[in-house]
Amino acid sequence: MKPRVEIIALGGTIACAPDSGASGVAPSLTGMDLVAAVPQLGTLAQIGARNLSNLPSTEIGLPLLFDLATAIRAHEDEGIAGIVVTQGTDTIEETAFVLHLLHRGSMPVVVTGAMRNPSLPGADGPANLLAAVACAVDPGCRDLGVMVAFDDVIHPAAWVQKRDTSSTGAFWSPAPLGWMAEERPALYAKAPPRTAFDIPQDAALPFVPILKPGLSDPPLLVDACLAAGAAGLVLDLAGGGHVHSSWLDPLTAAAERMPVVFSSRTRGGRVLSRTYGQVGGEIDLLNRGLQGSGDLDALKARLVLILALMTGAPGRFGEVTNLSWQPGDFETIPTRRP
């Protein structure tokens, strides 16, 4: 019997069709419509498909992702081989990461979408969907957490970023898990360490904004965020984590009241911790009670902080900031199939 894969559709470009009453396209195709467009899926698995929503990706929120994570757990309990989530690309790097932080199981969860809607020549949705299902049924993809399959590259959710507005190769990561070869995943790397959060059902969603200072930008938004009820702040700072001296007093005061995290707006490399000693450098910020985001960019750091706050343990933020492997970790790499 073929393995079973459940496709859970959320909407996005992959599900878009021309809107007869307006210009442009909008999500309207169902999960079953997506499956019908790729008959090769039936050679890989028994396919189930349903919609949890049919939205542009910017309309996806954390409550929807919590419902999705619950559905994923239920499907794993049923013995399904893997899950494929289809959605809009604008927020894939965030949604995949949230699901990764909520997923404790071994079952592959693969997120994909499309950059070109189905009405365009060279639409990439069918190929991406086929790749995602191939990953979902592959035994080598078990225990890797959540991944993003896009343009024949397999990215770990912890690293993936969208770096182009329209290219079919918009997604990037510094350490892809592998690539597609003849419609099968070829895995070359191990996924980053995993940390899972259990969110209480009655937990309130905290307000955690991202602030990105530019040249001569005064720190007025710090006080504005505090007045608006922020439970934490994430700063998207220059270089290795550096800010103008005029921001230091407001940030120091904020850090006495709530977690204040700083990341790098370069979105590449690790936030520094012991290199620059000037006023407003990362050493100064750490001495003032701020926290570095390690390997996380601002978008992902914000999500980790939100989940940590919702569990009532903001100190858990530091458990997720290091995505690299430590000495001895590679002894636990599972044996891959030939």
Side-chain angles (χ1 to χ4, degrees):
M1 184 188 307
K2 293 176 184 175
R4 182 181 164 199
V5 171
E6 188 73 19
I7 296 173
I8 304 178
L10 303 183
T13 296
I14 194 171
C16 277
D19 187 344
S20 59
S23 59
V25 295
S28 60
L29 302 178
T30 67
M32 289 304 300
D33 292 331
L34 302 183
V35 171
V38 192
Q40 299 95 320
L41 296 177
T43 67
L44 297 176
Q46 300 179 65
I47 303 294
R50 63 188 175 97
N51 277 70
L52 195 60
S53 68
N54 210 344
L55 300 168
S57 61
T58 48
E59 293 297 315
I60 295 173
L62 286 171
L64 177 60
L65 296 180
F66 295 153
D67 290 342
L68 177 55
T70 299
I72 289 171
R73 285 192 292 271
H75 283 309
E76 181 151 36
D77 290 342
E78 296 169 4
I80 285 178
I83 296 288
V84 171
V85 177
T86 64
Q87 66 158 87
T89 61
D90 287 352
T91 59
I92 276 183
E93 62 187 283
E94 293 173 272
T95 59
F97 187 52
V98 170
L99 294 176
H100 183 71
L101 294 172
L102 300 175
H103 181 46
R104 289 185 176 274
S106 296
M107 178 181 66
V109 177
V110 190
V111 186
T112 195
M115 295 299 293
R116 295 176 181 163
N117 73 76
S119 70
L120 294 176
D124 55 327
N128 289 340
L129 184 59
L130 184 63
V133 171
C135 291
V137 300
D138 194 291
C141 290
R142 294 184 65 81
D143 296 307
L144 298 182
V146 178
M147 61 201 78
V148 172
F150 218 97
D151 197 35
D152 281 346
V153 184
I154 306 164
H155 302 281
W159 281 119
V160 70
Q161 296 175 348
K162 184 178 181 182
R163 291 199 167 189
D164 195 278
T165 59
S166 58
S167 169
T168 56
F171 287 90
W172 174 92
S173 61
L177 297 173
W179 291 263
M180 298 300 298
E182 297 182 319
E183 299 183 357
R184 295 183 65 188
L187 301 174
Y188 296 100
K190 184 171 172 59
R194 295 172 63 182
T195 299
F197 289 86
D198 292 316
I199 306 301
Q201 289 188 346
D202 59 349
L205 191 63
F207 172 43
V208 179
I210 297 174
L211 303 182
K212 186 175 184 177
L215 288 178
S216 297
D217 195 4
L220 302 178
L221 289 178
V222 176
D223 288 339
C225 290
L226 298 184
L233 294 177
V234 175
L235 306 166
D236 205 13
L237 301 184
H242 309 144
V243 72
H244 190 273
S245 57
S246 63
W247 284 66
L248 295 177
D249 286 345
L251 291 177
T252 302
E256 293 173 354
R257 299 172 50 181
M258 65 184 67
V260 180
V261 171
F262 64 92
S263 64
S264 172
R265 68 189 189 191
T266 66
R267 298 228 299 168
R270 176 173 292 176
V271 172
L272 302 179
S273 62
R274 52 188 178 88
T275 299
Y276 290 96
Q278 76 260 18
V279 173
E282 78 279 356
I283 295 174
D284 187 17
L285 296 180
L286 292 170
N287 288 336
R288 292 171 180 269
L290 282 71
Q291 305 173 62
S293 67
D295 292 318
L296 302 177
D297 62 24
L299 290 173
K300 289 185 169 71
R302 172 181 175 268
L303 294 169
V304 173
L305 184 54
I306 286 174
L307 296 184
L309 289 167
M310 293 182 76
T311 63
R316 292 196 63 196
F317 176 84
E319 296 178 14
V320 192
T321 58
N322 187 350
L323 301 181
S324 66
W325 288 98
Q326 305 302 313
D329 287 333
F330 286 98
E331 298 173 3
T332 66
I333 296 178
T335 301
R336 298 296 185 202
R337 56 163 176 75

